[in-house]
Amino acid sequence: MPDGEGRLTAYAVGRAGGLVRWTESARSYDWSGPELMLPETRLLPYLSVARSPQGYVDLFAMRRGGSRTPVEIVFASQYQAGRPMTGWHSIGNPHTDPDQAAAVGAPVAAVDGDGAVHVFVRSATGGVFTRRRGGDGTWGKWTALPCKRVREGISAVVTRSGRVELFMPADKGMYVWRQEKPGGSLDRSPNLVFIARAGTASGTESYEDRVTHFWRDDVTGEVVAYRVPAPGGVDVAPAPLDGRTGQGPLALSRCDVDGYDCTVLAQTEQTGTLAVTAYPTETESAGAWWADTREPCEGVPALTRDRAGRLVVAVIGGDGRLSVSRQRADGQGLALEAWLRL
């Protein structure tokens, strides 16, 4: 994740507990780390990272608690790249019943253009709860959204204008909630009839406040892309992008490839390696040709751009080490440099 100057930081939950951080140099593409931050043996292996317009970062995780609250949602903040972080702070659990609290979903966080932090979790009964922290730092109460039979894997995207768009796969379709303007209320859009596999939804802004959503088809496992039509616009069916050999959600970014603005997709193959593809943004009809890099990858990979606009790819290998590669400046197509293991 880049800071205001384009300096990158990578985060992961450590295998021995706590948060592990790697930080890019301010003057070069060298990295420092791993640093063990905020030791906490009760953390579960999940992390959601939300960045504010000012460059502040909030990291949300799940922590095992006591008998009355078996799992609680916690967060820590970093206000400058490479600097110390705040401690873990709890925002509790939307459930008061211990059995339901133990089954709460993983938090997904986003920061809108007004600096408000929105946290979303799937409830134990298939609903969705949200909690909001205003610009003054005050948390509101947990609020239930009118949804049912929602599957794990909520996706929240923030556009460059600061508008949040929420995408929630369910057993019989998909829910879409969106802000019409930054800082506004989250309003429900018409439900979609498509069925996504649990834990596979993701999304990215593809053009001027327009979001492209991605997921895996529930039957075939194929990656598809879809954009919610504008009011009065034509609804186009999800576009197929192959990727059947992958699993879980995609990592997404955009970068220039041979002078074209392209959307880049990365996935973890079922064999445990990283595969990538790219196509001209919003031109899914061009198709997707996936290339297996053979680089070991556990969990979900990460994509972003560096201060020069080049694509950066990061994965965690089976040994728990971070591996990073970036787009070659002198190469044609989506050519990557040699992997750097940190």
Side-chain angles (χ1 to χ4, degrees), residues 89-114:
H89 302 282
S90 175
I91 58 171
N93 189 307
H95 293 293
T96 56
D97 176 78
D99 291 337
Q100 291 187 338
V104 73
V108 176
V111 185
D112 68 24
D114 279 2

Side-chain angles (χ1 to χ4, degrees), residues 97-303:
D97 176 78
D99 291 337
Q100 291 187 338
V104 73
V108 176
V111 185
D112 68 24
D114 279 2
V117 178
H118 302 260
V119 181
F120 307 95
V121 297
R122 179 184 179 275
S123 75
T125 56
V128 173
F129 283 98
T130 180
R131 195 170 184 188
R132 178 183 180 275
R133 186 183 71 195
D136 62 356
T138 302
W139 284 97
K141 297 180 179 180
W142 288 105
T143 302
L145 298 178
C147 308
K148 59 182 180 180
R149 302 180 70 176
V150 172
R151 296 181 171 184
E152 190 62 84
I154 298 171
S155 170
V157 178
V158 182
T159 66
R160 281 172 288 183
S161 71
R163 184 180 62 80
V164 175
E165 188 160 316
L166 188 66
F167 190 77
M168 301 182 292
D171 286 351
K172 293 189 176 182
M174 300 182 186
Y175 294 99
V176 178
W177 290 70
R178 60 200 304 186
Q179 290 176 319
E180 293 302 320
K181 60 181 181 180
S185 62
L186 275 168
D187 299 320
R188 184 172 173 176
S189 298
N191 293 351
L192 307 179
V193 298
F194 317 113
I195 310 296
R197 284 189 180 176
T200 66
S202 57
T204 186
E205 183 180 36
S206 52
Y207 183 75
E208 291 184 1
D209 212 43
R210 189 161 57 215
V211 175
T212 300
H213 298 283
F214 298 83
W215 66 86
R216 297 187 189 277
D217 181 82
D218 193 42
V219 176
T220 66
E222 181 171 31
V223 173
V224 298
Y226 177 80
R227 284 177 288 280
V228 177
V234 178
D235 193 4
V236 178
L241 293 170
D242 198 6
R244 292 181 180 86
T245 57
Q247 58 188 355
L250 302 172
L252 305 165
S253 187
R254 287 168 60 186
C255 70
D256 285 341
V257 179
D258 297 335
Y260 293 95
D261 172 23
C262 289
T263 296
V264 184
L265 289 63
Q267 68 178 12
T268 303
E269 295 284 280
Q270 295 172 8
T271 55
T273 56
L274 173 77
V276 296
T277 189
Y279 64 88
T281 296
E282 294 200 348
T283 312
E284 287 82 12
S285 59
W289 286 264
W290 291 87
D292 191 338
T293 66
R294 306 300 180 187
E295 183 67 21
C297 178
E298 287 198 351
V300 183
L303 296 178

